[in-house]
Amino acid sequence: VQLQASGGGLVQAGGSLRLSCAASGRTFSSCAVGWFRQAPGKEREFVAGINWSGGSTYYIDSVKGRFTISRDNAESTVYLQMNSLKPDDTAVYYCAADRFVTATETDGRNYDYWGQGTLVTVSS
């Protein structure tokens, strides 16, 4: 599975962005997908996850109610809709996939497939 993240950019606080994670590979529809982020000088953190069918999702507390993860298996794409963005959301965002994890897997070491990052910058 190969993943490509896109959709990052510069946005003012309170604004919105939608990230996309486009996949190639026949097994993608069997994979759970997680979005992670890494801010400058900080460790990578899990943000949101979705199971293979889209029926189960999981978010860290700081993004609940603001971010929505979804997927379209027919298009082999997972989305992260980010609303009410805050400067603290500034980071490089990565998508990751694996067949043997669930939507609640927060440890990036358990994901086999990673996309390149996409930079999200939220100005105050």
Side-chain angles (χ1 to χ4, degrees):
V1 175
Q2 293 183 319
L3 306 175
Q4 183 165 355
S6 62
L10 173 63
V11 64
Q12 288 188 330
S16 298
L17 284 173
R18 188 176 80 158
L19 305 184
S20 298
C21 176
S24 62
R26 292 183 298 170
T27 60
F28 178 74
S29 61
S30 302
C31 293
V33 174
W35 281 99
F36 293 77
R37 66 186 178 187
Q38 187 165 21
K42 296 186 177 181
E43 293 188 354
R44 183 180 63 197
E45 69 169 345
F46 172 89
V47 176
I50 190 165
N51 74 333
W52 67 273
S53 69
S56 178
T57 59
Y58 181 70
Y59 303 90
I60 57 172
D61 286 346
S62 61
V63 307
K64 281 182 183 176
R66 300 190 298 122
F67 290 11
T68 302
I69 189 170
S70 62
R71 68 190 297 160
D72 183 340
N73 282 340
E75 297 294 329
S76 296
T77 303
V78 170
Y79 303 98
L80 186 68
Q81 177 67 44
M82 306 186 296
N83 299 328
S84 303
L85 282 161
K86 305 175 181 180
D88 283 350
D89 295 318
T90 294
V92 177
Y93 283 71
Y94 301 88
C95 58
D98 196 277
R99 291 183 61 194
F100 301 107
V101 301
T102 67
T104 60
E105 180 57 70
T106 62
D107 188 341
R109 295 172 298 180
N110 292 326
Y111 289 81
D112 273 348
Y113 309 109
W114 287 84
Q116 91 294 357
T118 185
L119 176 62
V120 172
T121 304
V122 184
S123 63
S124 57

